[in-house]
Amino acid sequence: MVSEAIQTVPVGRIGMVMATIRQRIAARSLVAGSRLPSVRVLARSMQVSVSTVVEAYNRLVAEGAILSRPGSGFYVASQLAPLELSALEPKLDRAIDPLWISRQSLEGDESVLKPGCGWMPASWLPQQTIRKALRTVSRGSAEALANYGSPLGLPPLRQLISRRLGERGVEAAPDQIMLTESGTQAIDLLCRYLLEPGDTVLVDDPCYFNFQALLRAHRIRMVSVPYTPAGPDIDALASILAERRPRLYITNSAVHNPTGATLSPVIAHRVLKLADQHGLIIIEDDIFADFEHAPAPRLAGFDGLNRVIQIGSFSKTLSASARCGFVAARPEWIEGLIDLKIATMFGGARLNEELTHAALSDSGFRRHAAALRVRLERARREASERLREMGVTPWIEPRAGIFLWCRLPAGLDSADVARIALASGLVLAPGNAFSVGQTASGFMRFNVAQMDDRVFEALQACLQQALLSHSDKEHAPSAQ
Amino acid sequence: MVSEAIQTVPVGRIGMVMATIRQRIAARSLVAGSRLPSVRVLARSMQVSVSTVVEAYNRLVAEGAILSRPGSGFYVASQLAPLELSALEPKLDRAIDPLWISRQSLEGDESVLKPGCGWMPASWLPQQTIRKALRTVSRGSAEALANYGSPLGLPPLRQLISRRLGERGVEAAPDQIMLTESGTQAIDLLCRYLLEPGDTVLVDDPCYFNFQALLRAHRIRMVSVPYTPAGPDIDALASILAERRPRLYITNSAVHNPTGATLSPVIAHRVLKLADQHGLIIIEDDIFADFEHAPAPRLAGFDGLNRVIQIGSFSKTLSASARCGFVAARPEWIEGLIDLKIATMFGGARLNEELTHAALSDSGFRRHAAALRVRLERARREASERLREMGVTPWIEPRAGIFLWCRLPAGLDSADVARIALASGLVLAPGNAFSVGQTASGFMRFNVAQMDDRVFEALQACLQQALLSHSDKEHAPSAQ
């Protein structure tokens, strides 16, 4: 009887039940040792037959994923449950899932249009400088070519970074600077160093979407503070610090990602007072520093690297291919970070450090950076005009950087627009991918360096398509 | 009265009390909210005056590290307690602390003699090949110089690795291979992916000492299985798997670190049978693969990358400066690892991947690797002879690789010898740094590529000094 049932039930439904159970195990909503729903209960809730569930459970037992205790039920086996970031709660719609968007941008080839990505096209970066640096390093010492880097990292590069930080008002001795693989890896190391499971971390709303993916990997609770054109909303910040007691606050100061806003001195001071009051540590992500014409206030500058930690990298203005980032912090924290770096990566990437140093020391780099700022200013202005013509309105006109954070017309939902766009090979960055509080469904981030005529045309077409299907739903409840 | 006491108590003792309390907080033996020892109890146990402890506690209150609850006592403040690897239990004697030994080797300049380190001198690595690869890449495309790497990593390099794995009997399609920053970072990612806090991991005894530092960073319990000249002790392995139920086993097969032993086919099969029985995942660290003349059995080969994961890198035979490693695993695990890689590092280091690919494709590399194997064979033979003359006896004569794992003469304790050596600028690798079970105090690991006449002379002198002070202690309890 049962075997006939198996033959007539499409594999599809059995597979669906199995996948559902596996998903709950992967997302850790069913943990090792916990009892699975009874066969009848699951059959009813999934609207399949009891024999489908029986077969699915039996196959899961054969796989070792669950155990059967006769008379008692089915239980999750004490089994390997790898950390599947894409399966963790909250399960995000792909169109606004930071991880999924990142993968689309990173995996796409040159034919994929990506005004949603966070980096400039290769042609905007200082190619000649990088080529020259490679040739310089090819003539370097055998040790530079072959040996592990020292734990803190190449001394001349740390001295160079120390000088550059000084130009931005941040005092950091070379030995308070530790080189890392990238800005992202610097923040990751800091999270491993400073946080314990169950801690809460504060981010801006909106914020750089990979912070969210990173914090998911640390199984950390995230809370957010609304961002204004001059920095975080101070009253909201005061409440959140008092109620939620986050351990850490991760933010940008000079060029906020995604809004392009700049932290004002007044708000900087108030943030630091609140941080002192509540024992808050701040990680100030300064990877867009080279995009500024004149330096804006840095939290690390006012604070003197007491409770503020600065991180930076050269991925945005030099090369994302020759990975090099850094942390600047109190000496005792640098000490502890060195140990963690050795344990998890052993030695540094000396070749990348030599390359970066050679490139940054080249006079061509400063000239290139100056020309880049001019080019970006023009690109922001032009993109702003063309977007406004389409009814897409920048929230502010940033004074530096590659991003425009814009409101879509007519109450459109940016996740809908992003989905439509993907079907035509256009990768967009919808607002809620940046928003822990999911308050930005009407917004989208645009990268002005990735926006040529093809992109504007494709965007126009997607907006029109979205407007059509939106007006069809006009009498339906708002998607926001 | 109290202020007079402060003036007469040397700052030294107050500082000592404060340091002791801070240390216990850092090591998490005093956690946030827990009550500190009463003033009298601590004064008695540390043999200082009550007023010293009072002053120390008051200063810690002023610092915010502890709070005073009048009538109740002093409590640890709910404060930041960074993950200080060097402060975690068990607190290891520096001379055998993996982290400390690694730092000495990585921070030391060319004048520091380091027969205890795990890499070859720069002059032994294929410099011309690396220089040529740098020039080649300097003429590459703008995208190669500037863009983020794809998440899996440069396709031609993964194809090359796939072919090389095939030559060693390991079948891995290019898309089952994910490039990483290094072998260490590959293992670190795998630990984040596969393990949960409180899990147990099995390693060999002895094993590569940075595994221990890495597992400390993951707050994982370690157990170990004794290693024989042909692989892990199978009977011991069977007991440990049944009793301690480790989630993961990290090991080498072809050239074991530190012993140089080679896994036999018989033991390989038995290991895999036990792994199947107990649901054990195995990480097979194959970074010494290029040192072999003829390929030994690989667990991943027999297992078909089902429950075995292979990791590798080119730090030992190409360059530790141009960081590049890889993971080869089941497709579904690679999928999950990609997400974790993006979240914690964003894009790969494309330049390093291009460099590594160019270098490995160069015919000069294979010639160099062949010559290197010959050179190492001679170096092992010569070092073995000279060590035996000093009464230092290799446990086995390895068929490949850079290490000799040797027993010291006359019951000497290798930590003692290592301490004496450090005073003369000689960094040694004492046995217990490699031994979770602390069973190797009579052993030491030597790197034959780092042993010239100066090293043998210095070693001879240290051994003589150690023998003298050992015979002074002959009637004292054995240090072992």
Side-chain angles (χ1 to χ4, degrees):
Chain A
M1 203 50 170
V2 167
S3 23
E4 282 168 37
I6 289 165
Q7 280 153 21
T8 55
V9 172
V11 169
R13 285 208 275 272
I14 296 173
M16 179 180 71
V17 173
M18 292 173 77
T20 299
I21 295 297
R22 284 198 202 102
Q23 154 63 22
R24 290 185 199 178
I25 294 175
R28 290 177 179 153
S29 54
L30 274 177
V31 293
S34 58
R35 191 171 173 281
L36 268 60
S38 77
V39 170
R40 290 191 191 289
V41 164
L42 193 69
R44 196 162 45 235
S45 72
M46 292 192 71
Q47 298 180 316
V48 296
S49 69
V50 161
S51 51
T52 298
V53 178
V54 167
E55 179 60 20
Y57 276 19
N58 285 341
R59 290 189 196 189
L60 287 168
V61 168
E63 273 182 18
I66 69 179
L67 325 153
S68 166
R69 293 198 191 132
S72 180
F74 293 84
Y75 292 78
V76 180
S78 180
Q79 218 205 12
L80 191 69
L83 177 59
E84 303 288 358
L85 290 189
S86 54
L88 293 179
E89 300 306 320
K91 189 99 177 64
L92 295 168
D93 172 3
R94 277 185 147 185
I96 57 160
D97 184 341
L99 261 177
W100 193 78
I101 295 172
S102 298
R103 280 185 79 158
Q104 291 308 303
S105 307
L106 288 166
E107 282 169 355
D109 62 26
E110 298 306 298
S111 67
V112 173
L113 304 176
K114 31 190 163 210
C117 85
W119 53 92
M120 296 187 295
S123 55
W124 288 51
L125 289 168
Q127 292 175 51
Q128 291 320 315
T129 303
I130 299 166
R131 293 182 197 280
K132 192 171 160 201
L134 281 161
R135 292 192 301 266
T136 300
V137 173
S138 77
R139 298 185 296 262
S141 71
E143 286 73 35
L145 297 178
N147 283 356
Y148 286 101
S150 66
L152 270 178
L154 197 71
L157 181 54
R158 289 185 291 111
Q159 285 152 18
L160 187 154
I161 292 170
S162 176
R163 283 194 301 273
R164 287 164 133 252
L165 288 177
E167 287 166 11
R168 303 200 285 264
V170 177
E171 293 308 314
D175 284 359
Q176 281 181 264
I177 295 169
M178 184 181 84
L179 301 181
T180 59
E181 184 267 349
S182 61
T184 300
Q185 199 249 342
I187 298 180
D188 187 45
L189 261 182
L190 285 164
C191 287
R192 294 176 86 162
Y193 181 61
L194 297 170
L195 301 175
E196 293 182 61
D199 273 352
T200 301
V201 171
L202 175 68
V203 294
D204 298 313
D205 204 318
C207 76
Y208 170 43
F209 58 51
N210 208 50
F211 288 161
Q212 294 188 52
L214 180 55
L215 295 173
R216 256 198 263 174
H218 285 273
R219 309 198 227 175
I220 284 297
R221 275 188 288 241
M222 273 180 284
V223 294
S224 63
V225 57
Y227 211 74
T228 76
D233 177 328
I234 285 296
D235 295 332
L237 181 60
S239 307
I240 287 163
L241 293 184
E243 287 163 26
R244 305 300 302 272
R245 317 201 75 74
R247 178 80 76 190
L248 202 62
Y249 171 36
I250 306 179
T251 188
N252 315 112
S253 301
V255 188
H256 182 251
N257 184 352
T259 66
T262 301
L263 180 70
S264 77
V266 171
I267 291 189
H269 274 291
R270 297 188 65 184
V271 167
L272 288 171
K273 270 183 69 173
L274 284 168
D276 267 338
Q277 235 178 285
H278 294 273
L280 179 72
I281 308 293
I282 301 174
I283 294 177
E284 186 174 42
D285 174 341
D286 208 10
I287 64 171
F288 295 104
D290 283 332
F291 287 143
E292 291 188 294
H293 297 272
R298 275 11 188 227
L299 292 166
F302 293 154
D303 170 75
L305 288 181
N306 176 35
R307 57 176 64 258
V308 179
I309 300 167
Q310 266 244 337
I311 71 106
S313 90
F314 305 99
S315 301
K316 304 296 176 184
T317 43
L318 175 65
S319 166
S321 183
R323 318 287 285 138
C324 191
F326 64 88
V327 185
R330 302 163 84 164
E332 51 271 37
W333 288 345
I334 293 292
E335 265 304 296
L337 286 168
I338 288 176
D339 283 345
L340 204 48
K341 177 181 171 183
I342 293 176
T344 60
M345 285 177 47
F346 207 66
R350 181 156 173 189
L351 207 64
N352 294 29
E353 296 168 4
E354 298 271 1
L355 267 166
T356 302
H357 178 250
L360 294 177
S361 306
D362 186 321
S363 54
F365 179 75
R366 275 199 190 265
R367 282 195 304 271
H368 180 92
L372 180 64
R373 287 189 284 268
V374 171
R375 189 174 184 180
L376 279 174
E377 186 151 13
R378 185 169 61 233
R380 285 194 308 277
R381 208 172 42 239
E382 289 175 4
S384 188
E385 271 179 47
R386 292 186 73 166
L387 287 168
R388 287 177 192 279
E389 283 163 19
M390 291 187 233
V392 177
T393 328
W395 189 62
I396 60 169
E397 298 291 346
R399 60 184 196 91
I402 55 177
F403 300 129
L404 288 174
W405 177 246
C406 303
R407 188 183 279 287
L408 296 181
L412 285 179
D413 182 307
S414 53
D416 292 337
V417 178
R419 261 179 242 111
I420 290 168
L422 200 62
S424 15
L426 181 69
V427 181
L428 295 175
N432 274 347
F434 300 88
S435 172
V436 169
Q438 300 284 287
T439 59
S441 60
F443 285 85
M444 198 161 261
R445 183 191 78 177
F446 294 101
N447 176 343
V448 303
Q450 298 272 1
M451 297 179 77
D452 56 16
D453 288 339
R454 290 176 307 162
V455 170
F456 284 110
E457 280 159 29
L459 180 63
Q460 176 92 292
C462 295
L463 287 172
Q464 279 162 352
Q465 197 180 327
L467 279 161
L468 279 170
S469 75
H470 181 76
S471 61
D472 289 349
K473 298 189 243 165
E474 269 213 284
H475 297 288
S478 161
Q480 287 181 34
Chain B
M1 202 49 172
V2 168
S3 24
E4 281 168 40
I6 289 167
Q7 281 154 20
T8 54
V9 172
V11 169
R13 285 207 277 270
I14 296 172
M16 179 180 73
V17 174
M18 293 174 75
T20 299
I21 295 297
R22 283 197 201 102
Q23 153 64 23
R24 290 186 199 178
I25 295 175
R28 293 178 177 150
S29 54
L30 273 178
V31 294
S34 57
R35 191 173 173 280
L36 266 62
S38 76
V39 168
R40 289 189 193 289
V41 165
L42 193 68
R44 196 162 46 236
S45 73
M46 290 191 73
Q47 297 180 317
V48 297
S49 70
V50 162
S51 50
T52 298
V53 177
V54 167
E55 178 59 18
Y57 277 20
N58 285 342
R59 291 189 196 190
L60 287 169
V61 168
E63 274 182 17
I66 68 179
L67 325 153
S68 167
R69 293 198 190 132
S72 180
F74 292 85
Y75 292 79
V76 181
S78 179
Q79 218 205 12
L80 191 68
L83 177 60
E84 303 289 357
L85 290 189
S86 55
L88 292 180
E89 300 305 320
K91 190 97 178 64
L92 293 169
D93 172 2
R94 278 184 146 186
I96 57 161
D97 184 341
L99 261 176
W100 193 80
I101 295 172
S102 298
R103 279 185 78 156
Q104 291 306 305
S105 307
L106 287 166
E107 283 170 354
D109 62 26
E110 299 304 299
S111 66
V112 173
L113 304 177
K114 30 189 164 215
C117 83
W119 53 91
M120 296 187 296
S123 56
W124 288 52
L125 289 168
Q127 291 174 53
Q128 290 320 315
T129 302
I130 299 167
R131 293 182 198 280
K132 193 169 157 200
L134 280 161
R135 292 191 302 264
T136 301
V137 173
S138 78
R139 297 185 296 263
S141 71
E143 286 73 34
L145 298 179
N147 283 356
Y148 287 100
S150 65
L152 270 179
L154 198 70
L157 181 54
R158 289 184 291 110
Q159 286 151 16
L160 188 152
I161 293 170
S162 176
R163 284 194 299 275
R164 289 166 131 249
L165 288 177
E167 288 166 11
R168 305 200 284 264
V170 178
E171 293 307 314
D175 284 359
Q176 280 180 266
I177 295 168
M178 184 180 84
L179 302 182
T180 60
E181 185 267 349
S182 61
T184 300
Q185 199 251 342
I187 298 179
D188 187 45
L189 261 181
L190 285 165
C191 287
R192 295 177 84 163
Y193 181 60
L194 296 170
L195 301 175
E196 292 182 62
D199 272 353
T200 300
V201 170
L202 175 68
V203 294
D204 298 313
D205 203 318
C207 74
Y208 171 43
F209 60 51
N210 208 50
F211 289 161
Q212 294 189 54
L214 179 55
L215 295 172
R216 255 198 263 174
H218 286 272
R219 310 197 226 180
I220 285 298
R221 275 188 289 243
M222 274 180 282
V223 294
S224 63
V225 58
Y227 212 74
T228 78
D233 176 329
I234 285 295
D235 295 331
L237 180 61
S239 307
I240 287 163
L241 293 184
E243 287 162 27
R244 305 301 301 274
R245 316 203 74 75
R247 178 80 76 192
L248 202 62
Y249 172 36
I250 305 178
T251 188
N252 314 112
S253 302
V255 187
H256 182 250
N257 185 352
T259 66
T262 302
L263 180 69
S264 77
V266 171
I267 292 190
H269 274 291
R270 297 188 66 185
V271 167
L272 289 171
K273 271 183 71 174
L274 284 168
D276 267 338
Q277 233 177 288
H278 294 272
L280 180 72
I281 308 293
I282 301 174
I283 294 177
E284 186 174 43
D285 173 339
D286 209 10
I287 63 170
F288 295 104
D290 283 332
F291 287 142
E292 292 188 293
H293 298 271
R298 282 352 194 239
L299 291 166
F302 294 152
D303 169 76
L305 289 181
N306 177 33
R307 56 175 65 256
V308 178
I309 300 166
Q310 266 243 337
I311 71 107
S313 89
F314 306 99
S315 300
K316 304 296 176 186
T317 44
L318 176 65
S319 165
S321 182
R323 320 287 285 139
C324 191
F326 63 88
V327 185
R330 299 164 86 165
E332 51 269 38
W333 289 344
I334 293 291
E335 263 305 295
L337 287 167
I338 288 177
D339 283 345
L340 204 48
K341 177 181 171 182
I342 292 176
T344 60
M345 285 177 47
F346 207 66
R350 181 155 172 188
L351 207 63
N352 294 28
E353 296 168 4
E354 297 273 1
L355 267 166
T356 303
H357 179 250
L360 295 176
S361 307
D362 187 320
S363 53
F365 179 75
R366 275 198 190 267
R367 285 196 302 271
H368 180 93
L372 180 65
R373 289 189 284 267
V374 171
R375 188 174 187 181
L376 279 173
E377 186 151 11
R378 185 170 60 233
R380 284 194 309 275
R381 210 172 40 241
E382 288 175 5
S384 188
E385 271 179 48
R386 292 186 73 165
L387 287 167
R388 287 177 192 280
E389 282 164 18
M390 291 188 232
V392 177
T393 328
W395 188 63
I396 60 169
E397 297 292 347
R399 61 182 195 91
I402 55 178
F403 300 130
L404 288 175
W405 176 247
C406 302
R407 188 182 280 287
L408 295 180
L412 285 179
D413 181 308
S414 53
D416 293 337
V417 178
R419 261 179 241 111
I420 290 166
L422 200 62
S424 14
L426 180 70
V427 182
L428 294 175
N432 274 348
F434 300 88
S435 172
V436 168
Q438 300 285 285
T439 59
S441 60
F443 284 85
M444 199 162 258
R445 184 190 78 177
F446 294 100
N447 176 343
V448 303
Q450 298 273 2
M451 295 178 79
D452 57 15
D453 287 338
R454 290 176 308 161
V455 170
F456 284 110
E457 279 159 29
L459 180 63
Q460 174 93 292
C462 294
L463 288 172
Q464 276 162 353
Q465 199 180 326
L467 279 161
L468 278 170
S469 76
H470 182 73
S471 63
D472 288 347
K473 295 192 244 161
E474 271 213 281
H475 296 289
S478 162
Q480 287 180 31

